[in-house]
Amino acid sequence: MSETAALPDPDEIDHEHPDVTGGWLRPAVFGAMDGLVSNFALIMGVVGGSTADDTKPIVLAGLAGLAAGSFSMAAGEYTSVASQSEFALAQVDIEREEILDNKRGETAELAAMFVEKGVDEETAREMAEQIHEDPEQAVRVHAREEFGVDVDDLASPMLAAGSSFFSFAVGAIIPLLPYLLGVESPWLAIGLSLVALFACGAIVTRLTARSWLFGGVRQLLLGGAAAGLTYLVGEAVGRSLS
């Protein structure tokens, strides 16, 4: 007679993945990218439209772009994540009412879901019945199985907003930094921004299946193109206004 292997202690299982759906990673990554690209392009647009050697308009525009972008990103992320969480909780409340009003039907529905995943019918029915002994546990399982929501791990609007704000500011300060330090030539800001674009693209691909070189070059070309085109627009507008 073969012995059934004992289940391992959950605390002894080392099986972790990076946060791919949480509330901080996406806004932090895209906030830094947006801050770097948008402020780099903005500064290059002002540089293109400037006819004097005075860097005050460039610094003013860069600081205004940093502040406006940071607050806008934070407000947008907060509203987006809060609305998404509120919608998810509303669906969970609907599911809770259905479980309380029709326990038998919801138990059968959950068992059918387990069967679709490959569990035999008898075991699936026993699993569903055990889960439904605790209504709140049943709500959590139904929410996860039916619409992919983990009620114990909803994204935090404040965390998303804070991540967006600070990451955008970090990205936006890079092309502005040489001017804040008194450097009048735009070439240091351009070089620093291009290096940062490549580095950001390479870092992001560490979370994907792409190579770091591909990601770095892609972001370098896209960000550089955005800044170059904005420079040309600024130059054209500046020439027409002079």
mmCIF file with all atom_site columns, all heavy atoms in Angstrom, residues 134-156:
data_model
loop_
_atom_site.group_PDB
_atom_site.id
_atom_site.type_symbol
_atom_site.label_atom_id
_atom_site.label_alt_id
_atom_site.label_comp_id
_atom_site.label_asym_id
_atom_site.label_entity_id
_atom_site.label_seq_id
_atom_site.pdbx_PDB_ins_code
_atom_site.Cartn_x
_atom_site.Cartn_y
_atom_site.Cartn_z
_atom_site.occupancy
_atom_site.B_iso_or_equiv
_atom_site.pdbx_formal_charge
_atom_site.auth_seq_id
_atom_site.auth_comp_id
_atom_site.auth_asym_id
_atom_site.auth_atom_id
_atom_site.pdbx_PDB_model_num
ATOM 1   N N   . ASP A 1 134 ? -18.189 28.597 5.101   1.00 0.00 ? 134 ASP A N   1
ATOM 2   C CA  . ASP A 1 134 ? -17.860 29.958 5.556   1.00 0.00 ? 134 ASP A CA  1
ATOM 3   C C   . ASP A 1 134 ? -18.274 30.916 4.437   1.00 0.00 ? 134 ASP A C   1
ATOM 4   O O   . ASP A 1 134 ? -17.612 30.978 3.393   1.00 0.00 ? 134 ASP A O   1
ATOM 5   C CB  . ASP A 1 134 ? -16.363 30.074 5.826   1.00 0.00 ? 134 ASP A CB  1
ATOM 6   C CG  . ASP A 1 134 ? -15.962 31.466 6.314   1.00 0.00 ? 134 ASP A CG  1
ATOM 7   O OD1 . ASP A 1 134 ? -16.815 32.370 6.309   1.00 0.00 ? 134 ASP A OD1 1
ATOM 8   O OD2 . ASP A 1 134 ? -14.783 31.655 6.683   1.00 0.00 ? 134 ASP A OD2 1
ATOM 9   N N   . PRO A 1 135 ? -19.359 31.674 4.604   1.00 0.00 ? 135 PRO A N   1
ATOM 10  C CA  . PRO A 1 135 ? -19.849 32.542 3.525   1.00 0.00 ? 135 PRO A CA  1
ATOM 11  C C   . PRO A 1 135 ? -18.802 33.534 3.010   1.00 0.00 ? 135 PRO A C   1
ATOM 12  O O   . PRO A 1 135 ? -18.715 33.773 1.804   1.00 0.00 ? 135 PRO A O   1
ATOM 13  C CB  . PRO A 1 135 ? -21.033 33.275 4.171   1.00 0.00 ? 135 PRO A CB  1
ATOM 14  C CG  . PRO A 1 135 ? -21.494 32.353 5.256   1.00 0.00 ? 135 PRO A CG  1
ATOM 15  C CD  . PRO A 1 135 ? -20.244 31.699 5.783   1.00 0.00 ? 135 PRO A CD  1
ATOM 16  N N   . GLU A 1 136 ? -18.013 34.118 3.903   1.00 0.00 ? 136 GLU A N   1
ATOM 17  C CA  . GLU A 1 136 ? -17.017 35.095 3.465   1.00 0.00 ? 136 GLU A CA  1
ATOM 18  C C   . GLU A 1 136 ? -15.899 34.433 2.660   1.00 0.00 ? 136 GLU A C   1
ATOM 19  O O   . GLU A 1 136 ? -15.385 35.013 1.704   1.00 0.00 ? 136 GLU A O   1
ATOM 20  C CB  . GLU A 1 136 ? -16.440 35.851 4.659   1.00 0.00 ? 136 GLU A CB  1
ATOM 21  C CG  . GLU A 1 136 ? -17.385 36.887 5.232   1.00 0.00 ? 136 GLU A CG  1
ATOM 22  C CD  . GLU A 1 136 ? -17.860 37.885 4.181   1.00 0.00 ? 136 GLU A CD  1
ATOM 23  O OE1 . GLU A 1 136 ? -17.008 38.451 3.460   1.00 0.00 ? 136 GLU A OE1 1
ATOM 24  O OE2 . GLU A 1 136 ? -19.086 38.093 4.064   1.00 0.00 ? 136 GLU A OE2 1
ATOM 25  N N   . GLN A 1 137 ? -15.530 33.219 3.062   1.00 0.00 ? 137 GLN A N   1
ATOM 26  C CA  . GLN A 1 137 ? -14.542 32.477 2.277   1.00 0.00 ? 137 GLN A CA  1
ATOM 27  C C   . GLN A 1 137 ? -15.114 32.147 0.897   1.00 0.00 ? 137 GLN A C   1
ATOM 28  O O   . GLN A 1 137 ? -14.408 32.218 -0.116  1.00 0.00 ? 137 GLN A O   1
ATOM 29  C CB  . GLN A 1 137 ? -14.143 31.189 3.004   1.00 0.00 ? 137 GLN A CB  1
ATOM 30  C CG  . GLN A 1 137 ? -13.165 30.294 2.251   1.00 0.00 ? 137 GLN A CG  1
ATOM 31  C CD  . GLN A 1 137 ? -11.804 30.940 2.083   1.00 0.00 ? 137 GLN A CD  1
ATOM 32  O OE1 . GLN A 1 137 ? -11.507 31.954 2.707   1.00 0.00 ? 137 GLN A OE1 1
ATOM 33  N NE2 . GLN A 1 137 ? -10.979 30.358 1.221   1.00 0.00 ? 137 GLN A NE2 1
ATOM 34  N N   . ALA A 1 138 ? -16.401 31.808 0.872   1.00 0.00 ? 138 ALA A N   1
ATOM 35  C CA  . ALA A 1 138 ? -17.058 31.528 -0.406  1.00 0.00 ? 138 ALA A CA  1
ATOM 36  C C   . ALA A 1 138 ? -17.056 32.770 -1.293  1.00 0.00 ? 138 ALA A C   1
ATOM 37  O O   . ALA A 1 138 ? -16.835 32.681 -2.506  1.00 0.00 ? 138 ALA A O   1
ATOM 38  C CB  . ALA A 1 138 ? -18.492 31.050 -0.157  1.00 0.00 ? 138 ALA A CB  1
ATOM 39  N N   . VAL A 1 139 ? -17.288 33.935 -0.696  1.00 0.00 ? 139 VAL A N   1
ATOM 40  C CA  . VAL A 1 139 ? -17.262 35.181 -1.465  1.00 0.00 ? 139 VAL A CA  1
ATOM 41  C C   . VAL A 1 139 ? -15.886 35.406 -2.079  1.00 0.00 ? 139 VAL A C   1
ATOM 42  O O   . VAL A 1 139 ? -15.762 35.759 -3.260  1.00 0.00 ? 139 VAL A O   1
ATOM 43  C CB  . VAL A 1 139 ? -17.645 36.378 -0.566  1.00 0.00 ? 139 VAL A CB  1
ATOM 44  C CG1 . VAL A 1 139 ? -17.381 37.695 -1.288  1.00 0.00 ? 139 VAL A CG1 1
ATOM 45  C CG2 . VAL A 1 139 ? -19.106 36.287 -0.153  1.00 0.00 ? 139 VAL A CG2 1
ATOM 46  N N   . ARG A 1 140 ? -14.845 35.200 -1.288  1.00 0.00 ? 140 ARG A N   1
ATOM 47  C CA  . ARG A 1 140 ? -13.482 35.410 -1.797  1.00 0.00 ? 140 ARG A CA  1
ATOM 48  C C   . ARG A 1 140 ? -13.164 34.458 -2.946  1.00 0.00 ? 140 ARG A C   1
ATOM 49  O O   . ARG A 1 140 ? -12.571 34.859 -3.950  1.00 0.00 ? 140 ARG A O   1
ATOM 50  C CB  . ARG A 1 140 ? -12.466 35.231 -0.662  1.00 0.00 ? 140 ARG A CB  1
ATOM 51  C CG  . ARG A 1 140 ? -12.450 36.378 0.341   1.00 0.00 ? 140 ARG A CG  1
ATOM 52  C CD  . ARG A 1 140 ? -11.253 36.296 1.248   1.00 0.00 ? 140 ARG A CD  1
ATOM 53  N NE  . ARG A 1 140 ? -11.382 35.195 2.191   1.00 0.00 ? 140 ARG A NE  1
ATOM 54  C CZ  . ARG A 1 140 ? -11.949 35.316 3.395   1.00 0.00 ? 140 ARG A CZ  1
ATOM 55  N NH1 . ARG A 1 140 ? -12.459 36.484 3.780   1.00 0.00 ? 140 ARG A NH1 1
ATOM 56  N NH2 . ARG A 1 140 ? -12.030 34.291 4.212   1.00 0.00 ? 140 ARG A NH2 1
ATOM 57  N N   . VAL A 1 141 ? -13.561 33.186 -2.796  1.00 0.00 ? 141 VAL A N   1
ATOM 58  C CA  . VAL A 1 141 ? -13.267 32.199 -3.840  1.00 0.00 ? 141 VAL A CA  1
ATOM 59  C C   . VAL A 1 141 ? -14.068 32.489 -5.103  1.00 0.00 ? 141 VAL A C   1
ATOM 60  O O   . VAL A 1 141 ? -13.534 32.442 -6.218  1.00 0.00 ? 141 VAL A O   1
ATOM 61  C CB  . VAL A 1 141 ? -13.547 30.771 -3.330  1.00 0.00 ? 141 VAL A CB  1
ATOM 62  C CG1 . VAL A 1 141 ? -13.379 29.759 -4.460  1.00 0.00 ? 141 VAL A CG1 1
ATOM 63  C CG2 . VAL A 1 141 ? -12.615 30.427 -2.175  1.00 0.00 ? 141 VAL A CG2 1
ATOM 64  N N   . HIS A 1 142 ? -15.344 32.804 -4.954  1.00 0.00 ? 142 HIS A N   1
ATOM 65  C CA  . HIS A 1 142 ? -16.171 33.122 -6.126  1.00 0.00 ? 142 HIS A CA  1
ATOM 66  C C   . HIS A 1 142 ? -15.640 34.361 -6.853  1.00 0.00 ? 142 HIS A C   1
ATOM 67  O O   . HIS A 1 142 ? -15.603 34.392 -8.090  1.00 0.00 ? 142 HIS A O   1
ATOM 68  C CB  . HIS A 1 142 ? -17.625 33.346 -5.709  1.00 0.00 ? 142 HIS A CB  1
ATOM 69  C CG  . HIS A 1 142 ? -18.426 32.090 -5.606  1.00 0.00 ? 142 HIS A CG  1
ATOM 70  N ND1 . HIS A 1 142 ? -19.143 31.581 -6.674  1.00 0.00 ? 142 HIS A ND1 1
ATOM 71  C CD2 . HIS A 1 142 ? -18.617 31.238 -4.569  1.00 0.00 ? 142 HIS A CD2 1
ATOM 72  C CE1 . HIS A 1 142 ? -19.748 30.465 -6.291  1.00 0.00 ? 142 HIS A CE1 1
ATOM 73  N NE2 . HIS A 1 142 ? -19.457 30.226 -5.012  1.00 0.00 ? 142 HIS A NE2 1
ATOM 74  N N   . ALA A 1 143 ? -15.240 35.376 -6.086  1.00 0.00 ? 143 ALA A N   1
ATOM 75  C CA  . ALA A 1 143 ? -14.722 36.600 -6.709  1.00 0.00 ? 143 ALA A CA  1
ATOM 76  C C   . ALA A 1 143 ? -13.460 36.312 -7.506  1.00 0.00 ? 143 ALA A C   1
ATOM 77  O O   . ALA A 1 143 ? -13.273 36.826 -8.608  1.00 0.00 ? 143 ALA A O   1
ATOM 78  C CB  . ALA A 1 143 ? -14.446 37.650 -5.632  1.00 0.00 ? 143 ALA A CB  1
ATOM 79  N N   . ARG A 1 144 ? -12.622 35.486 -6.932  1.00 0.00 ? 144 ARG A N   1
ATOM 80  C CA  . ARG A 1 144 ? -11.362 35.151 -7.628  1.00 0.00 ? 144 ARG A CA  1
ATOM 81  C C   . ARG A 1 144 ? -11.616 34.287 -8.854  1.00 0.00 ? 144 ARG A C   1
ATOM 82  O O   . ARG A 1 144 ? -11.010 34.478 -9.907  1.00 0.00 ? 144 ARG A O   1
ATOM 83  C CB  . ARG A 1 144 ? -10.423 34.450 -6.653  1.00 0.00 ? 144 ARG A CB  1
ATOM 84  C CG  . ARG A 1 144 ? -9.031  34.222 -7.202  1.00 0.00 ? 144 ARG A CG  1
ATOM 85  C CD  . ARG A 1 144 ? -8.049  33.884 -6.104  1.00 0.00 ? 144 ARG A CD  1
ATOM 86  N NE  . ARG A 1 144 ? -8.485  32.780 -5.282  1.00 0.00 ? 144 ARG A NE  1
ATOM 87  C CZ  . ARG A 1 144 ? -8.831  32.893 -3.995  1.00 0.00 ? 144 ARG A CZ  1
ATOM 88  N NH1 . ARG A 1 144 ? -8.783  34.064 -3.398  1.00 0.00 ? 144 ARG A NH1 1
ATOM 89  N NH2 . ARG A 1 144 ? -9.220  31.842 -3.309  1.00 0.00 ? 144 ARG A NH2 1
ATOM 90  N N   . GLU A 1 145 ? -12.540 33.325 -8.744  1.00 0.00 ? 145 GLU A N   1
ATOM 91  C CA  . GLU A 1 145 ? -12.790 32.399 -9.837  1.00 0.00 ? 145 GLU A CA  1
ATOM 92  C C   . GLU A 1 145 ? -13.640 33.018 -10.954 1.00 0.00 ? 145 GLU A C   1
ATOM 93  O O   . GLU A 1 145 ? -13.424 32.730 -12.129 1.00 0.00 ? 145 GLU A O   1
ATOM 94  C CB  . GLU A 1 145 ? -13.494 31.137 -9.311  1.00 0.00 ? 145 GLU A CB  1
ATOM 95  C CG  . GLU A 1 145 ? -12.650 30.287 -8.369  1.00 0.00 ? 145 GLU A CG  1
ATOM 96  C CD  . GLU A 1 145 ? -11.439 29.682 -9.056  1.00 0.00 ? 145 GLU A CD  1
ATOM 97  O OE1 . GLU A 1 145 ? -11.535 29.389 -10.266 1.00 0.00 ? 145 GLU A OE1 1
ATOM 98  O OE2 . GLU A 1 145 ? -10.405 29.517 -8.396  1.00 0.00 ? 145 GLU A OE2 1
ATOM 99  N N   . GLU A 1 146 ? -14.596 33.859 -10.592 1.00 0.00 ? 146 GLU A N   1
ATOM 100 C CA  . GLU A 1 146 ? -15.541 34.379 -11.578 1.00 0.00 ? 146 GLU A CA  1
ATOM 101 C C   . GLU A 1 146 ? -15.044 35.627 -12.297 1.00 0.00 ? 146 GLU A C   1
ATOM 102 O O   . GLU A 1 146 ? -15.211 35.761 -13.510 1.00 0.00 ? 146 GLU A O   1
ATOM 103 C CB  . GLU A 1 146 ? -16.887 34.676 -10.915 1.00 0.00 ? 146 GLU A CB  1
ATOM 104 C CG  . GLU A 1 146 ? -17.629 33.412 -10.475 1.00 0.00 ? 146 GLU A CG  1
ATOM 105 C CD  . GLU A 1 146 ? -19.039 33.720 -10.008 1.00 0.00 ? 146 GLU A CD  1
ATOM 106 O OE1 . GLU A 1 146 ? -19.682 34.615 -10.608 1.00 0.00 ? 146 GLU A OE1 1
ATOM 107 O OE2 . GLU A 1 146 ? -19.501 33.090 -9.045  1.00 0.00 ? 146 GLU A OE2 1
ATOM 108 N N   . PHE A 1 147 ? -14.427 36.559 -11.542 1.00 0.00 ? 147 PHE A N   1
ATOM 109 C CA  . PHE A 1 147 ? -13.969 37.772 -12.231 1.00 0.00 ? 147 PHE A CA  1
ATOM 110 C C   . PHE A 1 147 ? -12.575 38.203 -11.816 1.00 0.00 ? 147 PHE A C   1
ATOM 111 O O   . PHE A 1 147 ? -12.176 39.362 -11.985 1.00 0.00 ? 147 PHE A O   1
ATOM 112 C CB  . PHE A 1 147 ? -14.965 38.940 -12.069 1.00 0.00 ? 147 PHE A CB  1
ATOM 113 C CG  . PHE A 1 147 ? -15.603 39.060 -10.707 1.00 0.00 ? 147 PHE A CG  1
ATOM 114 C CD1 . PHE A 1 147 ? -15.042 39.830 -9.715  1.00 0.00 ? 147 PHE A CD1 1
ATOM 115 C CD2 . PHE A 1 147 ? -16.785 38.400 -10.444 1.00 0.00 ? 147 PHE A CD2 1
ATOM 116 C CE1 . PHE A 1 147 ? -15.640 39.959 -8.490  1.00 0.00 ? 147 PHE A CE1 1
ATOM 117 C CE2 . PHE A 1 147 ? -17.413 38.524 -9.209  1.00 0.00 ? 147 PHE A CE2 1
ATOM 118 C CZ  . PHE A 1 147 ? -16.832 39.301 -8.222  1.00 0.00 ? 147 PHE A CZ  1
ATOM 119 N N   . GLY A 1 148 ? -11.790 37.264 -11.295 1.00 0.00 ? 148 GLY A N   1
ATOM 120 C CA  . GLY A 1 148 ? -10.367 37.500 -11.085 1.00 0.00 ? 148 GLY A CA  1
ATOM 121 C C   . GLY A 1 148 ? -10.012 38.566 -10.077 1.00 0.00 ? 148 GLY A C   1
ATOM 122 O O   . GLY A 1 148 ? -8.987  39.234 -10.215 1.00 0.00 ? 148 GLY A O   1
ATOM 123 N N   . VAL A 1 149 ? -10.823 38.749 -9.054  1.00 0.00 ? 149 VAL A N   1
ATOM 124 C CA  . VAL A 1 149 ? -10.570 39.762 -8.039  1.00 0.00 ? 149 VAL A CA  1
ATOM 125 C C   . VAL A 1 149 ? -10.192 39.099 -6.725  1.00 0.00 ? 149 VAL A C   1
ATOM 126 O O   . VAL A 1 149 ? -10.905 38.216 -6.245  1.00 0.00 ? 149 VAL A O   1
ATOM 127 C CB  . VAL A 1 149 ? -11.804 40.660 -7.833  1.00 0.00 ? 149 VAL A CB  1
ATOM 128 C CG1 . VAL A 1 149 ? -11.635 41.542 -6.593  1.00 0.00 ? 149 VAL A CG1 1
ATOM 129 C CG2 . VAL A 1 149 ? -12.038 41.513 -9.065  1.00 0.00 ? 149 VAL A CG2 1
ATOM 130 N N   . ASP A 1 150 ? -9.069  39.514 -6.164  1.00 0.00 ? 150 ASP A N   1
ATOM 131 C CA  . ASP A 1 150 ? -8.666  39.061 -4.837  1.00 0.00 ? 150 ASP A CA  1
ATOM 132 C C   . ASP A 1 150 ? -9.056  40.157 -3.855  1.00 0.00 ? 150 ASP A C   1
ATOM 133 O O   . ASP A 1 150 ? -8.412  41.212 -3.806  1.00 0.00 ? 150 ASP A O   1
ATOM 134 C CB  . ASP A 1 150 ? -7.152  38.814 -4.786  1.00 0.00 ? 150 ASP A CB  1
ATOM 135 C CG  . ASP A 1 150 ? -6.713  38.192 -3.470  1.00 0.00 ? 150 ASP A CG  1
ATOM 136 O OD1 . ASP A 1 150 ? -7.499  38.204 -2.494  1.00 0.00 ? 150 ASP A OD1 1
ATOM 137 O OD2 . ASP A 1 150 ? -5.566  37.703 -3.390  1.00 0.00 ? 150 ASP A OD2 1
ATOM 138 N N   . VAL A 1 151 ? -10.122 39.930 -3.107  1.00 0.00 ? 151 VAL A N   1
ATOM 139 C CA  . VAL A 1 151 ? -10.654 40.975 -2.228  1.00 0.00 ? 151 VAL A CA  1
ATOM 140 C C   . VAL A 1 151 ? -9.682  41.330 -1.111  1.00 0.00 ? 151 VAL A C   1
ATOM 141 O O   . VAL A 1 151 ? -9.824  42.385 -0.484  1.00 0.00 ? 151 VAL A O   1
ATOM 142 C CB  . VAL A 1 151 ? -12.007 40.545 -1.620  1.00 0.00 ? 151 VAL A CB  1
ATOM 143 C CG1 . VAL A 1 151 ? -13.052 40.383 -2.708  1.00 0.00 ? 151 VAL A CG1 1
ATOM 144 C CG2 . VAL A 1 151 ? -11.871 39.264 -0.813  1.00 0.00 ? 151 VAL A CG2 1
ATOM 145 N N   . ASP A 1 152 ? -8.711  40.481 -0.843  1.00 0.00 ? 152 ASP A N   1
ATOM 146 C CA  . ASP A 1 152 ? -7.741  40.763 0.210   1.00 0.00 ? 152 ASP A CA  1
ATOM 147 C C   . ASP A 1 152 ? -6.492  41.456 -0.331  1.00 0.00 ? 152 ASP A C   1
ATOM 148 O O   . ASP A 1 152 ? -5.577  41.771 0.424   1.00 0.00 ? 152 ASP A O   1
ATOM 149 C CB  . ASP A 1 152 ? -7.317  39.462 0.902   1.00 0.00 ? 152 ASP A CB  1
ATOM 150 C CG  . ASP A 1 152 ? -8.484  38.779 1.592   1.00 0.00 ? 152 ASP A CG  1
ATOM 151 O OD1 . ASP A 1 152 ? -9.292  39.506 2.206   1.00 0.00 ? 152 ASP A OD1 1
ATOM 152 O OD2 . ASP A 1 152 ? -8.584  37.539 1.512   1.00 0.00 ? 152 ASP A OD2 1
ATOM 153 N N   . ASP A 1 153 ? -6.455  41.704 -1.644  1.00 0.00 ? 153 ASP A N   1
ATOM 154 C CA  . ASP A 1 153 ? -5.244  42.269 -2.234  1.00 0.00 ? 153 ASP A CA  1
ATOM 155 C C   . ASP A 1 153 ? -5.598  43.260 -3.333  1.00 0.00 ? 153 ASP A C   1
ATOM 156 O O   . ASP A 1 153 ? -5.001  43.241 -4.407  1.00 0.00 ? 153 ASP A O   1
ATOM 157 C CB  . ASP A 1 153 ? -4.356  41.146 -2.788  1.00 0.00 ? 153 ASP A CB  1
ATOM 158 C CG  . ASP A 1 153 ? -2.974  41.640 -3.175  1.00 0.00 ? 153 ASP A CG  1
ATOM 159 O OD1 . ASP A 1 153 ? -2.496  42.612 -2.549  1.00 0.00 ? 153 ASP A OD1 1
ATOM 160 O OD2 . ASP A 1 153 ? -2.367  41.064 -4.105  1.00 0.00 ? 153 ASP A OD2 1
ATOM 161 N N   . LEU A 1 154 ? -6.547  44.149 -3.053  1.00 0.00 ? 154 LEU A N   1
ATOM 162 C CA  . LEU A 1 154 ? -6.894  45.177 -4.024  1.00 0.00 ? 154 LEU A CA  1
ATOM 163 C C   . LEU A 1 154 ? -5.835  46.274 -4.032  1.00 0.00 ? 154 LEU A C   1
ATOM 164 O O   . LEU A 1 154 ? -5.220  46.578 -3.005  1.00 0.00 ? 154 LEU A O   1
ATOM 165 C CB  . LEU A 1 154 ? -8.256  45.784 -3.692  1.00 0.00 ? 154 LEU A CB  1
ATOM 166 C CG  . LEU A 1 154 ? -9.462  44.852 -3.863  1.00 0.00 ? 154 LEU A CG  1
ATOM 167 C CD1 . LEU A 1 154 ? -10.718 45.552 -3.371  1.00 0.00 ? 154 LEU A CD1 1
ATOM 168 C CD2 . LEU A 1 154 ? -9.618  44.423 -5.311  1.00 0.00 ? 154 LEU A CD2 1
ATOM 169 N N   . ALA A 1 155 ? -5.590  46.843 -5.196  1.00 0.00 ? 155 ALA A N   1
ATOM 170 C CA  . ALA A 1 155 ? -4.587  47.889 -5.328  1.00 0.00 ? 155 ALA A CA  1
ATOM 171 C C   . ALA A 1 155 ? -4.979  49.110 -4.496  1.00 0.00 ? 155 ALA A C   1
ATOM 172 O O   . ALA A 1 155 ? -6.155  49.471 -4.402  1.00 0.00 ? 155 ALA A O   1
ATOM 173 C CB  . ALA A 1 155 ? -4.436  48.279 -6.791  1.00 0.00 ? 155 ALA A CB  1
ATOM 174 N N   . SER A 1 156 ? -3.988  49.752 -3.902  1.00 0.00 ? 156 SER A N   1
ATOM 175 C CA  . SER A 1 156 ? -4.210  50.926 -3.069  1.00 0.00 ? 156 SER A CA  1
ATOM 176 C C   . SER A 1 156 ? -4.157  52.200 -3.907  1.00 0.00 ? 156 SER A C   1
ATOM 177 O O   . SER A 1 156 ? -3.133  52.470 -4.542  1.00 0.00 ? 156 SER A O   1
ATOM 178 C CB  . SER A 1 156 ? -3.154  51.000 -1.962  1.00 0.00 ? 156 SER A CB  1
ATOM 179 O OG  . SER A 1 156 ? -3.148  52.278 -1.354  1.00 0.00 ? 156 SER A OG  1
#
